[in-house]
Amino acid sequence: MTGVTTEHYLELSVFPTSPYYARVHVQRVLEGWRRDDLVETARLLVSELVSNAVKAHTSCRAVAETAHLGPDRIWMDLYLVGETVVLRVWDADRNPPLLRDPGPDDESGRGLHLVDLLANDWGYYRPTPGGKIVWCTLASPPPSPEEPAVPAPEH
């Protein structure tokens, strides 16, 4: 990947607790990159993507086809391309992620709407080994005219 500076990979078991571990991982990596400005949004988005991957992987009949990971695994990674953070989550289900139109009483179906609203961009692709990868990008917005850029302190 051209322009990628650092990549952080995390393999997760398909458990309800996986989004928690993904959030912790993303927060630590972003703090290490000094991208505190993106931590809260990235934690929310990775939680949604990993939750969807757990659900998709659990209901997927094609798990046996993905020999590169055990049948009870998903993975996520994040990396920088310039100043943009890319989050990716893999699961064994080859069906595309769908933006649903949940009703007011539905308990699920809003996660991809959050991703669509908060990420700079998002999508999915099907890697050769199988399954799908859902990705999103995050970047800090440029300062608005009402918010002048704060100059760096002189040393």
Side-chain angles (χ1 to χ4, degrees), residues 105-137:
D105 296 330
D106 290 342
E107 293 182 10
S108 64
R110 293 171 183 80
L112 282 178
H113 286 284
L114 288 171
V115 173
D116 192 50
L117 179 67
L118 298 174
N120 292 77
D121 198 9
W122 76 276
Y124 81 98
Y125 62 95
R126 294 181 180 113
T128 303
K132 73 174 170 297
I133 293 174
V134 182
W135 58 268
C136 68
T137 61

mmCIF file of all heavy atoms in Angstrom, residues 105-137:
data_model
loop_
_atom_site.group_PDB
_atom_site.id
_atom_site.type_symbol
_atom_site.label_atom_id
_atom_site.label_comp_id
_atom_site.label_asym_id
_atom_site.label_seq_id
_atom_site.Cartn_x
_atom_site.Cartn_y
_atom_site.Cartn_z
ATOM 1 N N ASP A 105 -38.727 1.136 16.531
ATOM 2 C CA ASP A 105 -38.679 0.116 17.572
ATOM 3 C C ASP A 105 -37.631 -0.963 17.317
ATOM 4 O O ASP A 105 -37.431 -1.839 18.156
ATOM 5 C CB ASP A 105 -40.054 -0.543 17.734
ATOM 6 C CG ASP A 105 -41.099 0.446 18.221
ATOM 7 O OD1 ASP A 105 -40.715 1.397 18.940
ATOM 8 O OD2 ASP A 105 -42.281 0.281 17.877
ATOM 9 N N ASP A 106 -36.947 -0.905 16.166
ATOM 10 C CA ASP A 106 -35.918 -1.901 15.860
ATOM 11 C C ASP A 106 -34.716 -1.698 16.768
ATOM 12 O O ASP A 106 -34.322 -0.562 17.044
ATOM 13 C CB ASP A 106 -35.483 -1.808 14.399
ATOM 14 C CG ASP A 106 -36.563 -2.279 13.445
ATOM 15 O OD1 ASP A 106 -37.484 -2.976 13.904
ATOM 16 O OD2 ASP A 106 -36.480 -1.943 12.255
ATOM 17 N N GLU A 107 -34.152 -2.809 17.220
ATOM 18 C CA GLU A 107 -33.008 -2.744 18.135
ATOM 19 C C GLU A 107 -31.674 -2.755 17.411
ATOM 20 O O GLU A 107 -30.628 -2.615 18.037
ATOM 21 C CB GLU A 107 -33.075 -3.901 19.126
ATOM 22 C CG GLU A 107 -34.257 -3.782 20.065
ATOM 23 C CD GLU A 107 -34.305 -4.895 21.094
ATOM 24 O OE1 GLU A 107 -33.321 -5.653 21.201
ATOM 25 O OE2 GLU A 107 -35.322 -4.997 21.779
ATOM 26 N N SER A 108 -31.670 -2.948 16.106
ATOM 27 C CA SER A 108 -30.417 -2.948 15.351
ATOM 28 C C SER A 108 -30.679 -2.346 13.974
ATOM 29 O O SER A 108 -31.806 -2.000 13.642
ATOM 30 C CB SER A 108 -29.865 -4.371 15.231
ATOM 31 O OG SER A 108 -30.761 -5.172 14.483
ATOM 32 N N GLY A 109 -29.623 -2.231 13.190
ATOM 33 C CA GLY A 109 -29.748 -1.731 11.836
ATOM 34 C C GLY A 109 -29.310 -0.298 11.637
ATOM 35 O O GLY A 109 -29.441 0.251 10.542
ATOM 36 N N ARG A 110 -28.744 0.316 12.663
ATOM 37 C CA ARG A 110 -28.328 1.715 12.553
ATOM 38 C C ARG A 110 -26.813 1.890 12.418
ATOM 39 O O ARG A 110 -26.339 2.990 12.146
ATOM 40 C CB ARG A 110 -28.823 2.507 13.765
ATOM 41 C CG ARG A 110 -30.324 2.634 13.810
ATOM 42 C CD ARG A 110 -30.823 3.220 15.122
ATOM 43 N NE ARG A 110 -32.261 3.272 15.157
ATOM 44 C CZ ARG A 110 -33.052 2.230 15.425
ATOM 45 N NH1 ARG A 110 -32.532 1.050 15.684
ATOM 46 N NH2 ARG A 110 -34.362 2.363 15.425
ATOM 47 N N GLY A 111 -26.065 0.827 12.621
ATOM 48 C CA GLY A 111 -24.605 0.922 12.655
ATOM 49 C C GLY A 111 -23.990 1.476 11.391
ATOM 50 O O GLY A 111 -23.137 2.372 11.443
ATOM 51 N N LEU A 112 -24.387 0.967 10.235
ATOM 52 C CA LEU A 112 -23.803 1.471 8.996
ATOM 53 C C LEU A 112 -24.241 2.903 8.705
ATOM 54 O O LEU A 112 -23.528 3.639 8.028
ATOM 55 C CB LEU A 112 -24.140 0.557 7.821
ATOM 56 C CG LEU A 112 -23.313 -0.720 7.742
ATOM 57 C CD1 LEU A 112 -23.763 -1.571 6.558
ATOM 58 C CD2 LEU A 112 -21.828 -0.430 7.657
ATOM 59 N N HIS A 113 -25.388 3.313 9.224
ATOM 60 C CA HIS A 113 -25.778 4.712 9.076
ATOM 61 C C HIS A 113 -24.806 5.613 9.842
ATOM 62 O O HIS A 113 -24.453 6.689 9.367
ATOM 63 C CB HIS A 113 -27.221 4.939 9.563
ATOM 64 C CG HIS A 113 -28.238 4.405 8.621
ATOM 65 N ND1 HIS A 113 -28.568 5.037 7.453
ATOM 66 C CD2 HIS A 113 -28.978 3.276 8.659
ATOM 67 C CE1 HIS A 113 -29.483 4.333 6.811
ATOM 68 N NE2 HIS A 113 -29.749 3.253 7.530
ATOM 69 N N LEU A 114 -24.368 5.161 11.022
ATOM 70 C CA LEU A 114 -23.361 5.922 11.775
ATOM 71 C C LEU A 114 -22.045 5.985 11.005
ATOM 72 O O LEU A 114 -21.406 7.031 10.930
ATOM 73 C CB LEU A 114 -23.140 5.307 13.151
ATOM 74 C CG LEU A 114 -24.262 5.500 14.156
ATOM 75 C CD1 LEU A 114 -24.004 4.665 15.399
ATOM 76 C CD2 LEU A 114 -24.405 6.959 14.516
ATOM 77 N N VAL A 115 -21.651 4.851 10.439
ATOM 78 C CA VAL A 115 -20.417 4.820 9.647
ATOM 79 C C VAL A 115 -20.554 5.775 8.470
ATOM 80 O O VAL A 115 -19.648 6.576 8.188
ATOM 81 C CB VAL A 115 -20.104 3.385 9.176
ATOM 82 C CG1 VAL A 115 -18.919 3.363 8.218
ATOM 83 C CG2 VAL A 115 -19.836 2.474 10.376
ATOM 84 N N ASP A 116 -21.686 5.721 7.783
ATOM 85 C CA ASP A 116 -21.924 6.583 6.633
ATOM 86 C C ASP A 116 -21.902 8.056 7.024
ATOM 87 O O ASP A 116 -21.405 8.902 6.279
ATOM 88 C CB ASP A 116 -23.273 6.208 6.000
ATOM 89 C CG ASP A 116 -23.481 6.835 4.639
ATOM 90 O OD1 ASP A 116 -22.575 6.726 3.784
ATOM 91 O OD2 ASP A 116 -24.552 7.438 4.428
ATOM 92 N N LEU A 117 -22.421 8.374 8.179
ATOM 93 C CA LEU A 117 -22.493 9.755 8.654
ATOM 94 C C LEU A 117 -21.146 10.282 9.147
ATOM 95 O O LEU A 117 -20.766 11.418 8.860
ATOM 96 C CB LEU A 117 -23.524 9.850 9.789
ATOM 97 C CG LEU A 117 -23.717 11.215 10.440
ATOM 98 C CD1 LEU A 117 -24.336 12.200 9.451
ATOM 99 C CD2 LEU A 117 -24.587 11.086 11.676
ATOM 100 N N LEU A 118 -20.398 9.468 9.880
ATOM 101 C CA LEU A 118 -19.198 9.947 10.573
ATOM 102 C C LEU A 118 -17.887 9.720 9.835
ATOM 103 O O LEU A 118 -16.910 10.430 10.084
ATOM 104 C CB LEU A 118 -19.122 9.315 11.960
ATOM 105 C CG LEU A 118 -20.286 9.648 12.897
ATOM 106 C CD1 LEU A 118 -20.179 8.842 14.184
ATOM 107 C CD2 LEU A 118 -20.332 11.133 13.182
ATOM 108 N N ALA A 119 -17.819 8.718 8.978
ATOM 109 C CA ALA A 119 -16.579 8.441 8.252
ATOM 110 C C ALA A 119 -16.471 9.381 7.055
ATOM 111 O O ALA A 119 -17.474 9.839 6.509
ATOM 112 C CB ALA A 119 -16.554 6.993 7.781
ATOM 113 N N ASN A 120 -15.241 9.669 6.642
ATOM 114 C CA ASN A 120 -15.039 10.457 5.426
ATOM 115 C C ASN A 120 -15.479 9.659 4.206
ATOM 116 O O ASN A 120 -16.004 10.216 3.254
ATOM 117 C CB ASN A 120 -13.574 10.860 5.275
ATOM 118 C CG ASN A 120 -13.162 11.835 6.341
ATOM 119 O OD1 ASN A 120 -12.934 11.435 7.470
ATOM 120 N ND2 ASN A 120 -13.101 13.102 5.993
ATOM 121 N N ASP A 121 -15.252 8.360 4.259
ATOM 122 C CA ASP A 121 -15.638 7.467 3.171
ATOM 123 C C ASP A 121 -15.712 6.060 3.746
ATOM 124 O O ASP A 121 -15.130 5.777 4.797
ATOM 125 C CB ASP A 121 -14.603 7.529 2.046
ATOM 126 C CG ASP A 121 -15.120 6.997 0.721
ATOM 127 O OD1 ASP A 121 -16.338 6.722 0.605
ATOM 128 O OD2 ASP A 121 -14.305 6.841 -0.202
ATOM 129 N N TRP A 122 -16.438 5.177 3.080
ATOM 130 C CA TRP A 122 -16.480 3.782 3.501
ATOM 131 C C TRP A 122 -16.917 2.923 2.328
ATOM 132 O O TRP A 122 -17.441 3.415 1.331
ATOM 133 C CB TRP A 122 -17.383 3.579 4.718
ATOM 134 C CG TRP A 122 -18.862 3.613 4.426
ATOM 135 C CD1 TRP A 122 -19.651 4.720 4.331
ATOM 136 C CD2 TRP A 122 -19.707 2.489 4.195
ATOM 137 N NE1 TRP A 122 -20.940 4.356 4.049
ATOM 138 C CE2 TRP A 122 -21.013 2.991 3.958
ATOM 139 C CE3 TRP A 122 -19.507 1.116 4.163
ATOM 140 C CZ2 TRP A 122 -22.098 2.163 3.690
ATOM 141 C CZ3 TRP A 122 -20.585 0.293 3.905
ATOM 142 C CH2 TRP A 122 -21.863 0.801 3.678
ATOM 143 N N GLY A 123 -16.665 1.639 2.460
ATOM 144 C CA GLY A 123 -17.057 0.699 1.417
ATOM 145 C C GLY A 123 -16.667 -0.704 1.838
ATOM 146 O O GLY A 123 -16.374 -0.973 3.009
ATOM 147 N N TYR A 124 -16.645 -1.592 0.858
ATOM 148 C CA TYR A 124 -16.250 -2.972 1.137
ATOM 149 C C TYR A 124 -15.652 -3.563 -0.127
ATOM 150 O O TYR A 124 -15.817 -3.025 -1.227
ATOM 151 C CB TYR A 124 -17.437 -3.809 1.616
ATOM 152 C CG TYR A 124 -18.311 -4.312 0.494
ATOM 153 C CD1 TYR A 124 -18.159 -5.603 -0.007
ATOM 154 C CD2 TYR A 124 -19.246 -3.479 -0.100
ATOM 155 C CE1 TYR A 124 -18.939 -6.047 -1.051
ATOM 156 C CE2 TYR A 124 -20.031 -3.922 -1.138
ATOM 157 C CZ TYR A 124 -19.870 -5.203 -1.618
ATOM 158 O OH TYR A 124 -20.634 -5.642 -2.663
ATOM 159 N N TYR A 125 -14.929 -4.655 0.035
ATOM 160 C CA TYR A 125 -14.451 -5.446 -1.096
ATOM 161 C C TYR A 125 -14.307 -6.878 -0.651
ATOM 162 O O TYR A 125 -14.332 -7.185 0.549
ATOM 163 C CB TYR A 125 -13.149 -4.882 -1.687
ATOM 164 C CG TYR A 125 -11.967 -4.862 -0.749
ATOM 165 C CD1 TYR A 125 -11.037 -5.901 -0.741
ATOM 166 C CD2 TYR A 125 -11.768 -3.789 0.114
ATOM 167 C CE1 TYR A 125 -9.944 -5.873 0.103
ATOM 168 C CE2 TYR A 125 -10.675 -3.749 0.958
ATOM 169 C CZ TYR A 125 -9.762 -4.793 0.947
ATOM 170 O OH TYR A 125 -8.690 -4.763 1.796
ATOM 171 N N ARG A 126 -14.190 -7.760 -1.620
ATOM 172 C CA ARG A 126 -14.054 -9.191 -1.349
ATOM 173 C C ARG A 126 -12.628 -9.610 -1.681
ATOM 174 O O ARG A 126 -12.266 -9.675 -2.851
ATOM 175 C CB ARG A 126 -15.049 -9.980 -2.182
ATOM 176 C CG ARG A 126 -16.480 -9.714 -1.801
ATOM 177 C CD ARG A 126 -17.421 -10.547 -2.663
ATOM 178 N NE ARG A 126 -18.783 -10.293 -2.291
ATOM 179 C CZ ARG A 126 -19.674 -9.689 -3.079
ATOM 180 N NH1 ARG A 126 -19.321 -9.266 -4.280
ATOM 181 N NH2 ARG A 126 -20.910 -9.517 -2.675
ATOM 182 N N PRO A 127 -11.818 -9.895 -0.665
ATOM 183 C CA PRO A 127 -10.438 -10.319 -0.930
ATOM 184 C C PRO A 127 -10.414 -11.731 -1.537
ATOM 185 O O PRO A 127 -11.353 -12.514 -1.358
ATOM 186 C CB PRO A 127 -9.782 -10.291 0.449
ATOM 187 C CG PRO A 127 -10.911 -10.461 1.408
ATOM 188 C CD PRO A 127 -12.115 -9.846 0.762
ATOM 189 N N THR A 128 -9.337 -12.050 -2.204
ATOM 190 C CA THR A 128 -9.194 -13.348 -2.864
ATOM 191 C C THR A 128 -9.374 -14.533 -1.921
ATOM 192 O O THR A 128 -10.047 -15.493 -2.285
ATOM 193 C CB THR A 128 -7.819 -13.430 -3.567
ATOM 194 O OG1 THR A 128 -7.740 -12.342 -4.483
ATOM 195 C CG2 THR A 128 -7.660 -14.735 -4.316
ATOM 196 N N PRO A 129 -8.828 -14.502 -0.693
ATOM 197 C CA PRO A 129 -8.974 -15.683 0.174
ATOM 198 C C PRO A 129 -10.417 -15.954 0.608
ATOM 199 O O PRO A 129 -10.719 -17.032 1.068
ATOM 200 C CB PRO A 129 -8.119 -15.366 1.395
ATOM 201 C CG PRO A 129 -7.221 -14.265 0.978
ATOM 202 C CD PRO A 129 -7.928 -13.523 -0.100
ATOM 203 N N GLY A 130 -11.311 -14.993 0.471
ATOM 204 C CA GLY A 130 -12.699 -15.189 0.858
ATOM 205 C C GLY A 130 -13.169 -14.149 1.848
ATOM 206 O O GLY A 130 -12.403 -13.343 2.361
ATOM 207 N N GLY A 131 -14.458 -14.174 2.098
ATOM 208 C CA GLY A 131 -15.056 -13.233 3.022
ATOM 209 C C GLY A 131 -15.156 -11.846 2.419
ATOM 210 O O GLY A 131 -15.176 -11.671 1.194
ATOM 211 N N LYS A 132 -15.239 -10.851 3.284
ATOM 212 C CA LYS A 132 -15.284 -9.462 2.835
ATOM 213 C C LYS A 132 -14.543 -8.587 3.835
ATOM 214 O O LYS A 132 -14.383 -8.945 5.000
ATOM 215 C CB LYS A 132 -16.715 -8.972 2.654
ATOM 216 C CG LYS A 132 -17.453 -8.719 3.952
ATOM 217 C CD LYS A 132 -18.811 -8.100 3.694
ATOM 218 C CE LYS A 132 -19.658 -8.062 4.943
ATOM 219 N NZ LYS A 132 -19.986 -9.365 5.502
ATOM 220 N N ILE A 133 -14.116 -7.459 3.369
ATOM 221 C CA ILE A 133 -13.494 -6.444 4.207
ATOM 222 C C ILE A 133 -14.323 -5.182 4.076
ATOM 223 O O ILE A 133 -14.550 -4.691 2.962
ATOM 224 C CB ILE A 133 -12.038 -6.180 3.801
ATOM 225 C CG1 ILE A 133 -11.192 -7.422 4.095
ATOM 226 C CG2 ILE A 133 -11.485 -4.951 4.527
ATOM 227 C CD1 ILE A 133 -9.763 -7.342 3.616
ATOM 228 N N VAL A 134 -14.811 -4.690 5.217
ATOM 229 C CA VAL A 134 -15.518 -3.412 5.260
ATOM 230 C C VAL A 134 -14.521 -2.396 5.818
ATOM 231 O O VAL A 134 -13.862 -2.656 6.818
ATOM 232 C CB VAL A 134 -16.780 -3.486 6.147
ATOM 233 C CG1 VAL A 134 -17.518 -2.151 6.139
ATOM 234 C CG2 VAL A 134 -17.703 -4.606 5.679
ATOM 235 N N TRP A 135 -14.403 -1.261 5.150
ATOM 236 C CA TRP A 135 -13.409 -0.263 5.519
ATOM 237 C C TRP A 135 -14.064 1.103 5.653
ATOM 238 O O TRP A 135 -15.126 1.361 5.095
ATOM 239 C CB TRP A 135 -12.278 -0.204 4.494
ATOM 240 C CG TRP A 135 -12.779 0.113 3.109
ATOM 241 C CD1 TRP A 135 -13.140 -0.786 2.150
ATOM 242 C CD2 TRP A 135 -13.005 1.415 2.544
ATOM 243 N NE1 TRP A 135 -13.579 -0.128 1.023
ATOM 244 C CE2 TRP A 135 -13.506 1.220 1.245
ATOM 245 C CE3 TRP A 135 -12.834 2.707 3.009
ATOM 246 C CZ2 TRP A 135 -13.828 2.287 0.402
ATOM 247 C CZ3 TRP A 135 -13.166 3.774 2.176
ATOM 248 C CH2 TRP A 135 -13.649 3.549 0.886
ATOM 249 N N CYS A 136 -13.400 1.961 6.391
ATOM 250 C CA CYS A 136 -13.803 3.363 6.456
ATOM 251 C C CYS A 136 -12.561 4.204 6.688
ATOM 252 O O CYS A 136 -11.534 3.713 7.156
ATOM 253 C CB CYS A 136 -14.861 3.611 7.528
ATOM 254 S SG CYS A 136 -14.309 3.422 9.222
ATOM 255 N N THR A 137 -12.656 5.469 6.321
ATOM 256 C CA THR A 137 -11.548 6.392 6.505
ATOM 257 C C THR A 137 -11.980 7.531 7.414
ATOM 258 O O THR A 137 -13.139 7.935 7.422
ATOM 259 C CB THR A 137 -11.048 6.971 5.167
ATOM 260 O OG1 THR A 137 -12.112 7.683 4.534
ATOM 261 C CG2 THR A 137 -10.529 5.876 4.257
#
